[in-house]
């Protein structure tokens, strides 16, 4: 079949070899395929469509060097007419390759993570304290200490690996992982203390290792020189720093090799006198069991000394921005570093415990043959008698006394000294790099004031040179103090806080069941992560309880600051997922709870339109709903394009600290839109029960159908068992604007201020409540809720009711007794016997003039004599209807006169709203009632009508 001539709804001439670039699709207008060519791949190249196949560009937040980034067409562009859709055509020069920036140095898992972590884990404890711990705890318990410590760090490593593989990781290390998982509150506090801890840890080992003439001054002089050299290496770039780390790693490996060779070489008499005999089974058996000595001689004492040497597993993650593939490098490098360092600790503990005695004199003449008397210890089996120093506890050598036992065993002792310095300098260099990298990311997020200056990066690697200098200054300050014993426990607890929160982050992200939690690293357990978090906190108190309290206190203080400031960031944290889960669970749980009068709350649906257009209305309702009940600001959109996003209105509400939802519906007119809101707004039992709207002050100038819609909204609310409130204000922002008015919210947000007329009336004395009809108690409940707030707390509530002149006192006492049983605290109750009197003639005349434009004469609406025009306009008021509702109209006129007399200087007037029957009372007449009741009153007037069901109770059940 010839496709070009066959009858078909598709014209496929564009599929031929011709130059025609447009075609028609089923009678629709032609699309220009030039604008689509750059978006579509070969799959769609023959069809005129904006749809594009999946592309990496659509999901990436970063630009791709050398070409323009693709963009996915919006649903509006796909759905709308081609004349309405604005698909940006790419300019010819966008396809031209651009000069890419210099490629930054990136490191793989071995050089970037594994070696770095191993160097940071190894330290002076490995060389100087591990032999002593082995002598104290014995080989068996030392292995348990090592394995328990490694298990804790291993669990943290698994948690780190899971978090690091749940999406693309950028620079910022530990802070980035925690903040993007738990949110800015915990992430910011940990980021700050972790960066500080790393800066101080630069000099953490120097106090122990450096000693030449005067200990204090030697630490200061050599420490400043050393840290200055390390700073120079760091600021030279990550490539030089990485090369230095590889050099330190090589030195440590050589020292290990020298040690292992030394254990095999037969011991000389000089070494034997110092307790080294190479591998001996009886020495292993003697050292396998504990030999506790001194105040620190206990399992937890040794554990607290050793555990810091197992940390340092985050050194690789802290330079996450400099890794080629962090999702691969961090899990592989971290876990292998933990494995190999654990093996090295176990090997050194077992080998040195098999070769060296706990006590030795070091004297070449302390042999069995040269000394008489009883011989104690394993040394006797090899011809050495160390009984005297063992008895006197004065032996200078042996595992229990000589910290340089590894140098003694080594084939070449200076290599062990080189290893000690290599381990110290590598750890210091890793900390000097980690602190600025973490701090730079924190500065860029601007969670704390005054730190943004240090976030600037330089060079192809975006090096934080300013942060380097800050870390250097901090390190120098602590070097000059030269006393780290006091602050060292706090620094250790800072690291442990980080480990605890990393584990908790993994657990929390797993337990929330968020669809966004999809780590590619599967070898983790949420319960192991929780165990790791708990154990980390326990270890904090085991190490130094007062330091743990200080560290936790600092974290809480920083957490509180960020919670107070509420930074404008959204990272999709697990806290957000948890909040959703909790809210969902609680909302569903409310379905099982029956409503009770004691738990009634006025849950308000506020017809505010864009909230920034009616700030007085929104602020007033928020006064009694904030932290108490539900408030929903509703907007009916009758124009298809809204000028501001929902997020803009929510930001406005948040800026004014108004706790409210914002809900929009699109409808052909206001009345239909409000009907949709009344029937569909809310979730389960979390749905509104009171409709709130502003008074339509310009109703006489409005079209009659607008009046019909306004009154129809009230009728709809009553039909659906809603309470209703209408707020009228004489001063301040005009809240009576029609709901469909469209003003740019951005402009209103810039001009509207939090101060409203309600804030300016704090000095007023009374809230006057005219409880003229029993609506279930909502008219009394609202002023009670207002007086619980500070803004209205100083106001006295006066309750006015109608009554008979002969029974004023009895009615007053009866009503006071009723109100007292409601426990509202209202003491001032006044009975108004003259409220049913006849109003003044001039006021009646004014009401008649008000309703005159809406009257028709000599027409019966429900009769056969009504013409078609009258039947179509239900807002018209006939003479018969005027006579039917005359008594009620006069009551509203008289009520206004009474309010004028009693409440001219009140802070707020609350009046029971009259109710007009749907279909019987014309909408214009009902509107006139609302107008005349609240007319010419200076205070704000709130017309209230409950749904005629009790909202107050005098009972306790």
């Amino acid at each position: 079949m010839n496709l070009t001539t066959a009858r078909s709804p598709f014209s496929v001439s564009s599929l031929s070899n011709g130059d025609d670039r447009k075609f028609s699709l089923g009678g629709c207008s032609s699309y220009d395929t030039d604008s689509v060519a750059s978006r579509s791949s070969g799959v769609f190249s023959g069809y005129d469509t904006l749809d594009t196949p999946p592309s990496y560009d659509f999901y990436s937040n970063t630009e791709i060097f050398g070409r323009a980034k693709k963009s996915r067409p919006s649903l509006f562009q796909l759905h709308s007419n081609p004349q309405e859709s604005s698909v940006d055509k790419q300019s010819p020069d966008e396809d031209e390759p651009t000069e890419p920036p210099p490629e930054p140095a990136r490191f793989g898992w071995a050089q970037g993570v594994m070696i770095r972590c191993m160097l940071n884990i190894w330290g002076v404890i490995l060389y100087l304290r591990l032999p002593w711990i082995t002598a104290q705890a014995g080989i068996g318990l030392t292995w348990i200490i090592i394995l328990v410590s490694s298990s804790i760090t291993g669990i943290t490593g698994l948690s780190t690996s899971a978090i690091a593989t749940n999406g693309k990781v950028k620079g910022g290390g530990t802070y980035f992982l925690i903040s993007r998982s738990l949110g800015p509150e915990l992430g910011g506090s940990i980021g700050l203390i972790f960066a500080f801890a790393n800066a101080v840890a630069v000099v953490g080992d120097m106090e122990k290792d450096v000693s030449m003439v005067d200990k204090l001054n030697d630490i200061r002089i050599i420490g400043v020189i050393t840290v200055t050299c390390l700073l120079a290496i760091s600021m030279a770039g990550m490539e030089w720093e990485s090369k230095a780390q590889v050099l330190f790693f090589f030195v440590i490996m050589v020292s290990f090799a020298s040690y292992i060779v030394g254990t095999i070489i037969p011991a000389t008499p000089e070494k034997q006198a110092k307790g080294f005999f190479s591998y001996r089974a009886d020495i292993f058996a003697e050292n396998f069991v504990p030999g506790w000595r001194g105040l620190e001689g206990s399992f937890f004492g040794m554990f607290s000394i050793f555990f810091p040497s197992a940390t340092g597993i985050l050194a690789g993650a802290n330079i996450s921005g400099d890794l080629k593939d962090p999702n691969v490098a961090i899990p592989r490098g971290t876990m292998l570093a933990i494995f190999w360092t654990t093996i090295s600790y176990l090997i050194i503990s077992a080998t040195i415990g098999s070769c060296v005695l706990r006590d030795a004199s070091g004297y070449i003449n302390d042999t069995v043959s040269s000394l008489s008397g009883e011989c104690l210890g394993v040394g006797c089996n090899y011809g050495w008698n160390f009984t005297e120093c063992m008895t006197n506890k004065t032996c200078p050598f042996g595992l229990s006394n000589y910290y340089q036992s590894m140098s003694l065993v080594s084939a070449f002792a200076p290599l062990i000294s080189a290893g000690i310095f290599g381990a110290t300098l590598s750890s210091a260099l890793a900390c000097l790099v980690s602190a600025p990298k973490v701090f730079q990311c924190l500065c860029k997020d601007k969670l704390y004031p005054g730190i943004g200056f240090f976030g600037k990066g330089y060079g192809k690697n975006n090096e934080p040179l300013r942060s380097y200098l800050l870390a250097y200054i901090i390190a120098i300050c602590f070097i000059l103090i030269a006393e780290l014993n006091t602050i060292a426990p706090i620094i250790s607890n800072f690291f442990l806080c980080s480990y605890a929160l990393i584990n908790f982050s993994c657990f929390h992200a797993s337990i929330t069941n968020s669809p966004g939690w999809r780590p590619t690293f599967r070898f983790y357990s949420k319960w192991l992560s929780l165990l790791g978090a708990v154990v980390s906190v326990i270890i904090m108190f085991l190490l130094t309880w007062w330091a743990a309290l200080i560290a936790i206190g600092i974290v809480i203080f920083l957490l509180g600051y960020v919670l107070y400031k509420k930074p404008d960031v959204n990272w999709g944290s697990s806290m957000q997922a948890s909040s959703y889960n909790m809210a969902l669970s609680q909302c569903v749980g409310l379905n099982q709870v029956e409503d009770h009068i004691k738990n009634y709350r006025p849950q308000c649906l506020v017809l505010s339109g864009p909230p920034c257009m009616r700030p007085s209305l929104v602020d007033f309702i928020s006064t009694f709903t904030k932290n108490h009940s539900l408030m929903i600001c509703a907007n009916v959109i009758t124009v298809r394009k809204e000028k501001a996003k929902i997020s803009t209105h929510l930001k406005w509400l948040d800026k004014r600290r108004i706790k409210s939802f914002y809900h929009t519906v699109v409808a052909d007119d206001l009345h239909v839109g409000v009907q949709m809101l009344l029937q569909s707004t809310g979730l389960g039992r979390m749905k509104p029960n009171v409709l709130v709207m502003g008074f339509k002050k310009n109703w006489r100038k409005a079209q009659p159908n607008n009046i019909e819609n306004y009154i129809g909204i009230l009728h709809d609310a009553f039909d659906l068992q809603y309470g209703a409130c209408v707020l009228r204000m004489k001063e301040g922002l005009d809240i009576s604007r029609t709901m469909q008015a469209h003003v740019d919210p951005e402009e209103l947000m810039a001009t509207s201020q939090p101060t409203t007329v309600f804030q300016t009336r704090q000095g007023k004395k009374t809230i006057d409540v005219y409880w003229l009809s029993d609506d279930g108690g909502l008219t009394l409940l609202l002023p009670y809720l207002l007086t619980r707030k500070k803004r209205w707390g100083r106001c006295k509530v006066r309750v006015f009711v109608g009554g008979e002149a002969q029974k004023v006192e009895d009615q007053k006492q009866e009503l006071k007794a009723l109100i007292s049983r409601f426990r509202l605290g209202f003491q001032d109750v006044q009975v108004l016997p003259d409220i049913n009197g006849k109003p003044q003639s001039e006021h009646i005349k004014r009401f008649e003039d008000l309703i005159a434009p809406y009257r028709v004469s000599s027409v019966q609406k429900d009769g056969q004599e009504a013409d078609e025009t009258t039947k179509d306009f239900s807002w018209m008021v006939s003479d018969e209807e005027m006579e039917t509702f005359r008594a009620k109209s006069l009551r509203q006129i008289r009520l206004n006169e009474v309010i004028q007399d009693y409440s001219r200087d009140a802070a707020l007037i609350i009046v029971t709203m009259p109710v007009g029957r749907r279909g019987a009372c014309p909408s214009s007449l009902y509107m006139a009632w609302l107008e005349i009741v609240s007319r010419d009153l200076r205070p704000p007037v709130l017309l209230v009508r409950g749904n005629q069901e009790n909202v107050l109770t005098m009972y306790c059940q």
Side-chain angles (χ1 to χ4, degrees):
M1 180 182 292
N2 188 345
L3 295 178
T4 60
T5 59
R7 292 183 177 270
S8 172
F10 300 96
S11 177
V12 293
S13 60
S14 61
L15 300 182
S16 65
N17 293 329
D19 295 329
D20 186 8
R21 299 303 304 275
K22 295 184 179 181
F23 66 92
S24 176
L25 182 61
C28 297
S29 301
S30 299
Y31 280 73
D32 187 355
T33 56
D34 288 335
S35 64
V36 184
S38 61
R39 296 173 177 263
S40 303
S41 68
V43 176
F44 297 109
S45 60
Y47 297 93
D48 185 14
T49 177
L50 291 178
D51 265 334
T52 58
S55 173
Y56 175 86
D57 286 13
F58 300 158
Y59 300 91
S60 174
N61 294 330
T62 57
E63 296 292 336
I64 300 176
F65 299 115
R67 65 175 175 84
K69 182 182 175 182
K70 299 178 183 178
S71 61
R72 181 193 297 114
S74 68
L75 187 60
F76 174 77
Q77 292 170 339
L78 295 175
H79 176 259
S80 64
N81 292 325
Q83 290 83 0
E84 297 178 3
S85 62
S86 56
V87 181
D88 295 332
K89 296 185 179 181
Q90 293 179 342
S91 57
D93 57 345
E94 284 184 348
D95 292 329
E96 296 180 2
T98 58
E99 185 68 24
E103 184 68 22
R106 302 294 187 193
F107 307 105
W109 65 269
Q111 185 178 359
V113 180
M114 188 186 72
I115 291 178
R116 189 177 299 274
C117 288
M118 292 176 70
L119 290 173
N120 209 27
I121 293 172
W122 286 326
V124 293
I125 291 180
L126 171 68
Y127 289 98
L128 302 180
R129 301 286 267 178
L130 183 59
W132 177 78
I133 293 173
T134 304
Q136 289 272 0
I139 297 173
L141 287 182
T142 300
W143 273 39
I144 293 177
I145 290 172
I146 294 171
L147 292 176
V148 170
S149 301
S150 298
S151 297
I152 296 171
T153 56
I155 292 172
T156 306
L158 293 175
S159 301
T160 303
S161 301
I163 298 173
T165 58
N166 189 49
K168 187 175 181 180
V169 177
K170 299 180 181 180
T174 305
Y175 160 70
F176 184 88
L177 298 179
I178 295 178
S179 62
R180 270 55 177 181
S181 181
L182 288 179
E185 295 83 9
L186 283 171
S189 58
I190 287 298
L192 198 59
I193 67 171
F194 188 78
F196 177 77
N198 274 280
V200 177
V202 172
V203 297
D205 292 328
M206 294 185 180
E207 184 177 0
K208 302 172 185 176
D209 298 335
V210 181
S211 180
M212 293 180 358
V213 180
D214 177 73
K215 180 180 179 181
L216 217 57
N217 289 322
D218 283 344
I219 291 175
R220 291 168 176 159
I221 296 171
I222 299 179
V224 170
I225 296 173
T226 303
V227 174
T228 303
C229 294
L230 295 179
L231 175 68
I233 295 174
S234 301
M235 297 188 71
M238 287 299 297
E239 292 175 319
W240 284 97
E241 187 270 345
S242 182
K243 291 176 181 178
Q245 293 285 32
V246 171
L247 176 62
F248 293 141
F249 182 78
F250 176 76
V251 171
I252 293 175
M253 289 294 100
V254 171
S255 69
F256 284 170
S258 174
Y259 165 76
I260 295 299
V261 171
T263 61
I264 301 173
I265 297 175
T268 62
E270 290 78 9
K271 288 188 176 183
Q272 290 183 356
K274 296 179 180 180
F276 172 62
F277 293 91
S278 193
Y279 293 105
R280 295 289 188 269
D282 49 356
I283 296 178
F284 175 82
E286 175 73 15
N287 290 337
F288 188 82
V289 296
W292 308 117
R293 300 183 186 182
L295 297 176
E296 297 174 329
S298 65
F299 178 83
F300 288 109
M302 295 301 105
F303 181 82
S304 63
I305 293 173
F306 174 80
F307 182 77
S309 68
T311 59
I313 61 172
L314 300 177
N318 286 336
I319 63 163
S320 54
D322 297 294
L323 301 175
K324 291 180 180 178
D325 189 356
N327 297 94
V328 174
I330 292 176
R332 184 180 299 176
T334 302
M335 298 312 299
L336 283 176
I338 295 173
F339 174 77
W340 289 118
T341 52
T342 301
I343 294 298
S344 66
Y345 281 130
L346 293 174
I347 290 176
I348 291 175
S349 174
T351 53
I352 203 163
S354 302
C355 298
V356 184
L357 300 176
R358 282 194 171 100
D359 297 289
S361 65
Y363 296 114
I364 197 69
N365 296 324
D366 284 350
T367 60
V368 174
S369 58
S370 62
L371 297 175
S372 60
E374 184 181 6
C375 184
L376 302 176
V378 180
C380 300
N381 299 337
Y382 306 107
W384 295 89
N385 188 349
F386 305 128
T387 304
E388 181 180 356
C389 70
M390 291 172 61
T391 304
N392 299 330
K393 298 181 180 180
T394 58
C395 295
F397 294 96
L399 295 178
S400 298
N401 311 294
Y402 188 50
Y403 286 168
Q404 297 284 354
S405 295
M406 286 188 65
S407 298
L408 173 66
V409 175
S410 176
F412 186 62
L415 289 178
I416 299 298
S417 299
I420 293 173
F421 280 98
T424 303
L425 295 177
S426 63
S427 297
L429 184 58
C431 292
L432 189 60
V433 171
S434 296
K437 294 286 186 181
V438 172
F439 192 61
Q440 181 186 35
C441 184
L442 179 63
C443 293
K444 289 183 176 180
D445 289 337
K446 298 179 181 178
L447 301 184
Y448 297 100
I451 63 174
F453 172 81
F454 298 99
K456 183 176 176 58
Y458 296 87
K460 61 181 182 180
N461 273 62
N462 196 32
E463 295 292 347
L465 301 185
R466 296 175 179 177
S467 295
Y468 278 132
L469 291 174
L470 179 62
Y472 171 76
I473 293 172
I474 294 174
I476 291 297
C477 290
F478 282 94
I479 287 174
L480 296 178
I481 294 173
E483 286 290 342
L484 294 179
N485 288 335
T486 302
I487 198 172
I490 301 177
I491 300 304
S492 298
N493 278 284
F494 282 169
F495 285 110
L496 283 169
C497 281
S498 304
Y499 300 154
L501 282 179
I502 285 178
N503 284 302
F504 182 75
S505 298
C506 182
F507 165 76
H508 196 263
S510 302
I511 205 70
T512 55
N513 294 320
S514 172
W517 174 249
R518 302 185 301 274
T520 57
F521 184 83
R522 301 293 183 181
F523 306 103
Y524 73 95
S525 167
K526 58 186 177 184
W527 302 115
L528 276 180
S529 297
L530 178 61
L531 176 64
V534 173
V535 172
S536 296
V537 175
I538 293 174
I539 293 175
M540 290 173 61
F541 286 92
L542 287 178
L543 292 178
T544 314
W545 65 268
W546 58 265
L549 292 177
I550 292 175
I552 293 175
I554 294 175
V555 171
I556 292 175
F557 173 78
L558 296 174
L559 170 66
Y561 175 83
V562 180
L563 285 172
Y564 174 76
K565 295 298 291 185
K566 294 182 180 179
D568 187 17
V569 295
N570 184 7
W571 296 323
S573 67
S574 62
M575 287 298 182
Q576 294 173 328
S578 177
S579 298
Y580 174 84
N581 285 347
M582 292 174 62
L584 180 62
S585 176
Q586 294 295 326
C587 284
V588 174
L590 283 176
N591 291 332
Q592 312 301 322
V593 180
E594 294 294 332
D595 289 333
H596 195 281
I597 301 175
K598 287 168 58 178
N599 294 324
Y600 174 84
R601 298 164 187 263
Q603 303 186 130
C604 299
L605 176 64
V606 185
L607 301 185
S608 63
C612 52
M613 294 179 61
R614 295 169 178 84
S616 298
L617 175 65
V618 174
D619 283 344
F620 175 69
I621 302 303
S622 172
T623 303
F624 61 83
T625 60
K626 186 176 183 181
N627 299 325
H628 177 79
S629 60
L630 176 69
M631 176 179 174
I632 301 175
C633 292
N635 183 17
V636 177
I637 302 175
T638 57
V639 180
R640 292 295 173 177
K641 294 181 181 179
E642 189 183 11
K643 292 186 178 181
K645 297 181 180 179
I646 292 179
S647 59
T648 303
H649 302 300
L650 292 177
K651 289 180 179 178
W652 185 89
L653 292 169
D654 184 65
K655 181 180 178 181
R656 297 169 72 95
R657 299 181 180 178
I658 296 173
K659 295 186 177 181
S660 170
F661 294 97
Y662 176 71
H663 185 52
T664 61
V665 294
V666 178
D668 293 333
D669 60 56
L670 173 64
H671 192 185
V672 174
V674 175
Q675 288 177 331
M676 296 166 59
L677 289 169
L678 290 172
Q679 296 180 65
S680 62
T681 304
L683 182 65
R685 295 193 183 276
M686 295 292 295
K687 58 183 180 181
N689 52 29
V690 177
L691 176 70
V692 181
M693 55 198 303
F695 183 77
K696 194 174 184 64
K697 288 193 293 186
N698 60 348
W699 65 277
R700 285 172 294 173
K701 298 180 181 178
Q703 294 293 328
N705 62 326
N706 285 343
I707 303 174
E708 191 75 22
N709 285 338
Y710 186 87
I711 299 302
I713 290 172
L714 289 175
H715 287 316
D716 292 338
F718 296 146
D719 288 344
L720 294 171
Q721 290 296 298
Y722 274 71
C725 296
V726 175
L727 177 65
R728 180 173 186 176
M729 299 170 54
K730 183 178 180 180
E731 52 187 293
L733 186 67
D734 182 6
I735 63 173
S736 64
R737 291 163 132 178
T738 57
M739 291 289 293
Q740 55 265 54
H742 284 275
V743 180
D744 190 354
E746 299 288 352
E747 296 179 4
L748 286 174
M749 288 182 67
T751 57
S752 55
Q753 300 297 324
T755 301
T756 67
V757 294
F758 297 105
Q759 291 174 316
T760 63
R761 293 185 173 273
Q762 293 182 11
K764 299 296 180 180
K765 296 181 180 180
T766 64
I767 299 176
D768 289 351
V769 181
Y770 289 82
W771 194 25
L772 306 178
S773 303
D774 195 330
D775 59 349
L778 183 62
T779 306
L780 289 182
L781 180 61
L782 293 184
Y784 169 73
L785 296 177
L786 283 172
T787 55
R788 293 174 61 181
K789 302 298 182 179
K790 182 178 179 181
R791 183 186 302 178
W792 297 89
R794 292 177 294 178
C795 292
K796 177 183 178 181
V797 177
R798 298 190 300 176
V799 180
F800 298 89
V801 295
E804 301 176 12
Q806 299 81 4
K807 302 179 180 179
V808 169
E809 195 61 33
D810 293 340
Q811 291 176 342
K812 180 177 180 180
Q813 295 303 322
E814 180 182 350
L815 190 62
K816 288 185 69 174
L818 176 63
I819 293 177
S820 67
R821 292 194 178 193
F822 289 151
R823 306 171 305 282
L824 298 174
F826 303 160
Q827 303 297 328
D828 193 340
V829 177
Q830 299 185 33
V831 178
L832 305 175
D834 56 345
I835 197 170
N836 296 318
K838 185 177 180 180
Q840 299 178 20
S841 57
E842 62 266 25
H843 293 160
I844 298 176
K845 178 69 168 55
R846 186 171 62 174
F847 176 77
E848 291 175 347
D849 293 341
L850 183 68
I851 199 65
Y854 304 96
R855 295 188 59 179
V856 291
S857 301
S858 303
V859 175
Q860 299 291 337
K861 283 191 174 182
D862 54 349
Q864 298 296 325
E865 300 178 5
D867 58 26
E868 296 299 325
T869 304
T870 307
K871 288 181 180 178
D872 292 338
F873 301 120
S874 60
W875 48 266
M876 289 186 176
V877 185
S878 67
D879 291 343
E880 181 180 354
E881 289 167 335
M882 283 294 295
E883 187 62 29
T884 301
F885 295 105
R886 179 175 180 79
K888 198 165 187 177
S889 298
L890 293 177
R891 180 180 175 86
Q892 310 310 320
I893 300 170
R894 178 56 185 159
L895 176 58
N896 179 260
E897 294 176 349
V898 172
I899 295 175
Q900 293 278 6
D901 293 337
Y902 286 91
S903 303
R904 185 176 299 274
D905 295 324
L908 175 67
I909 301 172
I910 299 178
V911 184
T912 304
M913 184 191 304
V915 176
R917 292 182 180 273
R918 182 192 287 271
C921 179
S923 56
S924 56
L925 180 59
Y926 190 10
M927 196 72 215
W929 290 347
L930 302 183
E931 166 73 25
I932 204 65
V933 167
S934 57
R935 192 170 189 174
D936 297 333
L937 297 174
R938 190 180 67 170
V941 179
L942 184 66
L943 302 173
V944 179
R945 169 62 70 164
N947 63 357
Q948 302 302 116
E949 294 185 2
N950 289 349
V951 300
L952 295 173
T953 178
M954 61 183 70
Y955 301 104
C956 63
Q957 63 179 16

